[in-house]
Amino acid sequence: MAQEPPDLFAHLDGRVPAEQVRRRLDREGPGGEPVVDWRHRRLHPENWGVTRSMLTAVLRATGLYERGRRNARRFRLRRRRLVLPGLAPALDGYRLLQLSDLHLDVDHTFARELARRIAGVTSDSCVITGDFRFSTDGPIEPMLRAIDVLRPALPQSVYAVLGNHDSITMIPPLEARGIRVLFNESALIHHQDGVLALAGVDDPHYFDCADPRRAAAGLPADVPRLLLAHSPECYVEAEEAGFDAMLCGHTHGGQIRLPGDVAVLTNARCPRRYCHGAWRYRRLYGYTSAGTGSSVLDVRFNCPPEVLLHVLRPASPQGVGLSSADSGSIVR
Ligand SMILES: [Fe+2]
């Protein structure tokens, strides 16, 4: 079990039950690292040091490593329409910046380069769909130093959820930096006289602590409901909990895609149609980001790192959801 900072329970008191905090801590490894048991860890080759060593050796031997690393810094800004039923006119055109899978402490340059690239992107609020840390274990301070570099480039209003690389002990320091972590909780975004319900769940991947129904508890019935989740793996529960749309990440779109646009790995226990880009499950529309950062290796091929700008629009008689129309541009 992770060694919780003394104020963790006090910090979350009145927001989530102590049992929920205890459950997450029980699933983190000793010393604070979010490492689950060996049986579970064994199923995830991205955690094997040998995987990283082998891939690095192959890419260096083929001369592809440096190209892949440059690709991992060529952030693509993608603007999309996010159409929601019952959206108030005041929220028509509201701009939601989504960053995902930042893995901020990959090196000492990533946060600075990302901050520089999004500095000119105007948004009303930002959502970060998990995986702040590069490793799945170790101290959180390098990530916090990197977030201090990135934070001035973000809008004042920032919401986030934890990913499978993240420890619950990150919540107090992130919130001290103005990043509200939704830990199976919700918040209401008020914009002029419009209201949007924004909820977030704990990591559905390793820790299996996502609870969309709890996150939706108490939300008003007459406002659109948007869910943040690290991974699309909880899409069934999200639909059953009555969410209109869901933004997530985790899969990195594969991070390395073969010619023919085929992801080598998606690392998610759900069908591939939910693992990259826009999708729909019954009444729930979703978007799975290709991720802004990289994990295991700091390289990308045929899968640019993504900065998303979702522009909210009210539903038309033709339907609701995430429009298939979008525009992408490389931010240089
Ligand atoms: Fe992840």
Side-chain angles (χ1 to χ4, degrees):
M1 186 181 74
Q3 187 175 19
E4 71 270 21
D7 64 342
L8 184 58
F9 283 90
H11 186 89
L12 293 169
D13 186 35
R15 286 171 47 178
V16 295
E19 168 270 327
Q20 182 180 319
V21 178
R22 179 62 58 191
R23 184 168 179 234
R24 179 49 133 96
L25 284 166
D26 285 346
R27 295 183 180 199
E28 297 192 7
E33 72 274 24
V35 176
V36 290
D37 64 28
W38 169 246
R39 178 180 55 80
H40 195 174
R41 185 180 172 86
R42 194 158 51 107
L43 299 173
H44 298 278
E46 75 277 13
N47 283 343
W48 303 345
V50 67
T51 306
R52 186 173 305 172
S53 304
M54 280 173 42
L55 284 170
T56 302
V58 168
L59 291 173
R60 285 196 188 283
T62 54
L64 290 171
Y65 185 84
E66 286 304 322
R67 185 196 298 179
R69 200 172 173 284
R70 285 194 299 275
N71 291 342
R73 296 295 185 279
R74 298 190 73 227
F75 302 97
R76 179 165 67 179
L77 173 65
R78 174 166 279 185
R79 296 179 177 86
R80 298 189 61 87
R81 281 176 289 166
L82 172 51
V83 184
L84 290 167
L87 189 72
L91 282 159
D92 187 359
Y94 190 88
R95 296 154 301 186
L96 203 57
L97 180 72
Q98 184 191 2
L99 306 175
S100 192
D101 306 277
L102 289 167
H103 302 292
L104 278 161
D105 48 331
V106 59
D107 66 15
H108 68 285
T109 67
F110 178 82
R112 189 173 66 236
E113 291 183 31
L114 178 60
R116 182 164 54 86
R117 280 157 174 77
I118 65 174
V121 180
T122 304
S123 61
D124 296 293
S125 61
C126 173
V127 297
I128 302 174
T129 43
D131 275 4
F132 288 85
R133 178 166 58 180
F134 185 71
S135 176
T136 53
D137 58 11
I140 65 174
E141 286 73 19
M143 179 280 291
L144 293 173
R145 286 194 290 274
I147 206 83
D148 286 339
V149 173
L150 178 65
R151 185 66 182 90
L154 303 179
Q156 184 177 4
S157 171
V158 184
Y159 299 89
V161 289
L162 297 181
N164 59 298
H165 285 238
D166 300 328
S167 167
I168 188 177
T169 60
M170 295 177 183
I171 294 179
L174 285 174
E175 296 197 332
R177 289 160 169 83
I179 298 173
R180 172 75 158 87
V181 180
L182 298 169
F183 189 62
N184 294 327
E185 309 170 81
S186 64
L188 294 177
I189 293 180
H190 294 269
H191 183 69
Q192 300 167 13
D193 61 351
V195 183
L196 171 69
L198 182 67
V201 289
D202 191 14
D203 169 50
H205 185 63
Y206 281 1
F207 297 107
D208 201 17
C209 289
D211 192 339
R213 195 169 294 279
R214 183 186 292 276
L219 287 178
D222 57 346
V223 299
R225 296 176 170 200
L226 177 60
L227 180 68
L228 308 179
H230 176 55
S231 160
E233 288 158 290
C234 59
Y235 68 98
V236 173
E237 295 83 357
E239 196 273 344
E240 290 171 351
F243 286 99
D244 299 301
M246 171 172 159
L247 301 178
C248 51
H250 173 67
T251 64
H252 295 210
Q255 192 169 313
I256 296 175
R257 296 178 75 84
L258 301 176
D261 208 26
V262 177
V264 179
L265 292 171
T266 58
N267 193 25
R269 299 181 301 270
C270 62
R272 284 201 168 208
R273 65 179 174 275
Y274 302 112
C275 290
H276 190 200
W279 48 265
R280 180 184 179 183
Y281 172 71
R282 296 182 177 173
R283 296 166 300 171
L284 178 71
Y285 286 81
Y287 190 92
T288 304
S289 168
T292 313
S294 307
S295 67
V296 183
L297 286 185
D298 188 20
V299 299
R300 281 180 175 262
F301 293 98
N302 303 316
C303 189
E306 201 168 66
V307 172
L308 284 151
L309 193 66
H310 300 284
V311 181
L312 305 195
R313 300 303 311 275
S316 68
Q318 285 75 39
V320 299
L322 291 127
S323 166
S324 59
D326 66 356
S327 63
S329 59
I330 303 293
V331 182
R332 314 263 331 228

